[in-house]
Amino acid sequence: MTGEFELHHQEDAALLIDWENIKSSLSSHDLRPSVAAIRDACSRFGRIVLARAYADWQDPWLRQDPRDLYAAGIEPVYVPVRRYDESDGSTTVKNSVDVRLASDCIELIHTHPGIAVYILATGDSDFIHVVNKLRPYGKRVVGLAVSWSASPRLAELVDELVLYDRDIEPPTEVLA
């Protein structure tokens, strides 16, 4: 047979997004996340076989985002925020996105053992424990965060770090 075709094996990857973390980090600098750009950037780490974004989609600030996520092939996972009125008149907010995303990672290790790369889109240091749990299973962990809100410790632990504002959509400067 003349001519050889090189087969490129691309590992299966899971993209798990702490949507509120990414969106609020960017909005603090008047930026908005591009779902398509996130998906495209993450595809270089493997074939995205599972993509989820976690948030309380009933929050008015987030209510329009699921449409864009669906269009990019990312499943919005609803995680409600609970608010509790305290005796001093303050309100305590309990957001369990971190817990849901972490438990999904651990479940995926067992239900989808072929996933070799986990892309965790969050700057939250709470995910250090998730990284440490994925490692004994031989999983590669990529962090995706916003530079000004990424946990330095999480950045040290992941196999590779992608910074949204530097690697995916760097701000364009307007020349005067």
Side-chain angles (χ1 to χ4, degrees):
M1 178 182 217
T2 60
E4 232 175 280
F5 295 99
E6 186 178 326
L7 295 176
H8 295 283
H9 173 72
Q10 204 175 23
E11 294 178 307
D12 286 349
L15 169 59
L16 304 164
I17 306 169
D18 179 347
W19 186 252
E20 187 176 346
N21 179 283
I22 296 296
K23 186 172 180 174
S24 65
S25 295
L26 288 170
S27 71
S28 72
H29 284 68
D30 296 322
L31 301 170
R32 291 184 40 82
S34 166
V35 178
I38 290 171
R39 177 75 188 226
D40 289 347
C42 291
S43 66
R44 74 181 174 104
F45 297 105
R47 182 173 65 112
I48 307 292
V49 296
L50 186 139
R52 295 178 181 160
Y54 302 81
D56 182 348
W57 305 115
Q58 292 182 355
D59 184 315
W61 185 58
L62 302 170
R63 200 170 287 153
Q64 299 304 313
D65 296 337
R67 180 191 52 166
D68 294 334
L69 291 162
Y70 276 122
I74 300 171
E75 173 191 0
V77 176
Y78 173 64
V79 183
V81 168
R82 302 285 183 226
R83 291 172 175 33
Y84 302 96
D85 293 328
E86 300 293 339
S87 58
D88 65 359
S90 65
T91 301
T92 299
V93 177
K94 296 285 185 182
N95 181 335
S96 57
V97 164
D98 293 359
V99 174
R100 175 66 192 271
L101 196 153
S103 65
D104 279 4
C105 279
I106 303 311
E107 180 182 348
L108 289 171
I109 289 171
H110 302 291
T111 59
H112 294 79
I115 294 175
V117 180
Y118 283 75
I119 304 161
L120 304 178
T122 182
D124 195 330
S125 64
D126 290 343
F127 288 96
I128 289 169
H129 303 294
V130 174
V131 174
N132 289 333
K133 285 295 182 188
L134 292 168
R135 285 278 161 61
Y137 291 92
K139 306 303 180 184
R140 189 164 155 241
V141 183
V142 175
L144 188 156
V146 176
S147 65
W148 53 82
S149 64
S151 158
R153 184 72 180 123
L154 181 63
E156 288 174 11
L157 286 177
V158 295
D159 296 302
E160 189 165 344
L161 180 66
V162 176
L163 295 172
Y164 184 93
D165 54 298
R166 294 183 187 161
D167 303 317
I168 296 177
E169 285 198 324
T172 55
E173 294 181 357
V174 178
L175 299 175

